[in-house]
């Protein structure tokens, strides 16, 4: 060890950030010490506040510092009577950026994975069940990831919807816009063919 | 904006880290919230402590949370009567890792750059001058970067040493070990030729 103990601690602590190894952590530590102590102090405060105060929204389970997130709290969002099921809060951000969806969300914070001990109760599907019973919902849009676990999760939730007599739809899988057929995997191409629509 | 205000603040604050843009900051924020809240709280505390307590060593100007850094504080380090001049604390770490140098350092925290208003007083060459006068020093090793500013800084300090009658040496420039001549720039090759030694 050739840096001071506190600098070593800082370098070690920065390695908790995803994608940051020993070399990047060292660069970050010295960069902050040399050039941006105010920014680092601000980051320290915000990090603390965020970790202490951000919990899951009681209605849709996304991250928020309030009891109910700002999307669930928006009365205009109830009008569409649609609810979109996603795996993570980042998916909500991605969908919100398209400006296409005006309904509410339910964030699973994962997907069904029995091998990891993640079942319906870990995903709080009981909360979703209550929403399906209590709220006016016409359509459940299943926007879980197109992976084996995501598909299984979508299938499980579609059965919950069926019992309640609510229509469940799955987002389309196919060739990404701007993609070239040549480079698309066979599985996606099969989806693109079976899911073809009238032109 | 589609994340909650506090999450947006966290994403913005993470962008103060070097090499972290909007997308990486978002990934870091959610990764910490989902998987590593303890690590993030620890990082918050260490960041605060480091920014509040780490100052420059009174003797060599490197970063330390003590008045005198652990290298300056080590009596065995005085025995070699050598002092190595570097531009940044990272350079000290790099040199320490070679295990070759057993003397003390002086860290300039930059280089002479009149255009940016950085002169001898900003580099605290007055502190270095006092050390040259007070300490038993036989050799000053100039290990500033091989850039125009680094060379100018080395030249300036070599003149300070001359006035004190202390030998000043410059680290060797040449072909990096493991490098191939074909890919070395002409300037470095010129240095390698003029600096050749008996085999």
């Amino acid at each position: 060890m050739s840096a001071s103990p506190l600098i070593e601690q800082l370098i070690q602590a920065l390695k908790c950030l995803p994608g940051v190894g020993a070399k990047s952590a060292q660069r970050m530590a010295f960069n902050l010490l040399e050039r941006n102590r105010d920014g680092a102090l601000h980051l320290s405060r915000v990090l603390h506040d965020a970790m202490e105060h951000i919990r899951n929204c009681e209605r849709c389970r996304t991250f928020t510092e309030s009891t109910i997130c700002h999307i669930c709290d928006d009365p205009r969002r109830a009008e569409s009577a649609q609810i979109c099921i996603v795996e993570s809060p980042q998916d909500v951000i991605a969908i919100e950026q398209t400006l296409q969806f005006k309904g509410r969300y339910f964030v699973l914070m994962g997907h069904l994975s029995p091998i990891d001990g993640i079942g319906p109760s870990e995903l709080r599907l009981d909360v979703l069940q209550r929403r399906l019973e209590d709220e006016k919902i016409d359509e459940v849009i299943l926007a879980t990831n197109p992976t084996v676990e995501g598909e299984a999760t979508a299938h499980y939730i579609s059965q919950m919807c069926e019992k309640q007599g609510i229509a469940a739809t799955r987002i389309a899988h196919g060739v990404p816009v701007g993609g070239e057929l040549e480079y698309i995997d066979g599985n996606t191409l099969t989806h693109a063919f079976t899911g073809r629509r009238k032109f």
Side-chain angles (χ1 to χ4, degrees), chain A residues 141-153:
Chain A
I141 301 171
L142 299 160
T144 52
N145 289 330
T147 57
V148 175
E149 294 88 352
E151 293 292 351
T153 311

Side-chain angles (χ1 to χ4, degrees), chain A residues 97-165:
Chain A
Q97 277 166 355
T98 67
L99 303 173
Q100 288 300 306
F101 180 67
K102 295 292 172 203
R104 285 177 173 163
Y105 293 90
F106 186 80
V107 183
L108 301 167
M109 303 300 288
H111 45 235
L112 289 177
S113 180
I115 211 164
D116 302 309
I118 300 174
S121 57
E122 279 70 27
L123 300 185
R124 301 304 305 268
L125 294 184
D126 53 318
V127 176
L128 178 62
Q129 179 68 38
R130 269 202 305 280
R131 289 186 65 183
L132 295 180
E133 290 165 8
D134 298 346
E135 290 177 33
K136 186 190 161 299
I137 296 171
D138 294 340
E139 182 183 2
V140 171
I141 301 171
L142 299 160
T144 52
N145 289 330
T147 57
V148 175
E149 294 88 352
E151 293 292 351
T153 311
H155 182 72
Y156 187 95
I157 298 173
S158 73
Q159 290 184 316
M160 285 170 60
C161 297
E162 205 176 319
K163 278 183 202 147
Q164 295 290 322

Side-chain angles (χ1 to χ4, degrees), chain A residues 1-147:
Chain A
M1 198 199 62
S2 40
S4 82
L6 189 51
I7 297 177
E8 273 301 320
Q9 267 186 52
L10 178 59
I11 293 171
Q12 290 303 321
L14 282 164
K15 290 203 293 196
C16 82
L17 297 169
V20 175
K23 203 75 194 174
S24 314
Q26 184 185 312
R27 194 166 59 93
M28 285 178 173
F30 283 107
N31 183 291
L32 293 175
L33 283 166
E34 281 170 24
R35 275 179 260 271
N36 199 357
R37 291 193 182 220
D38 290 341
L41 284 171
H42 176 68
L43 173 58
S44 161
R45 277 190 302 272
V46 176
L47 256 183
H48 178 267
D49 287 353
M51 297 305 139
E52 290 290 330
H53 299 306
I54 291 174
R55 293 285 171 264
N56 295 103
C57 168
E58 283 188 2
R59 228 175 268 171
C60 77
R61 307 259 309 136
T62 195
F63 284 133
T64 178
E65 62 269 31
S66 323
T67 321
I68 303 292
C69 77
H70 68 288
I71 294 179
C72 290
D73 208 28
D74 182 351
R76 285 168 301 176
R77 290 283 188 157
E79 285 163 21
S80 80
Q82 289 174 323
I83 183 166
C84 179
I85 315 283
V86 293
E87 292 188 21
S88 76
Q90 292 100 300
D91 298 339
V92 173
I93 295 181
I95 294 172
E96 284 295 293
Q97 277 166 355
T98 67
L99 303 173
Q100 288 300 306
F101 180 67
K102 295 292 172 203
R104 285 177 173 163
Y105 293 90
F106 186 80
V107 183
L108 301 167
M109 303 300 288
H111 45 235
L112 289 177
S113 180
I115 211 164
D116 302 309
I118 300 174
S121 57
E122 279 70 27
L123 300 185
R124 301 304 305 268
L125 294 184
D126 53 318
V127 176
L128 178 62
Q129 179 68 38
R130 269 202 305 280
R131 289 186 65 183
L132 295 180
E133 290 165 8
D134 298 346
E135 290 177 33
K136 186 190 161 299
I137 296 171
D138 294 340
E139 182 183 2
V140 171
I141 301 171
L142 299 160
T144 52
N145 289 330
T147 57

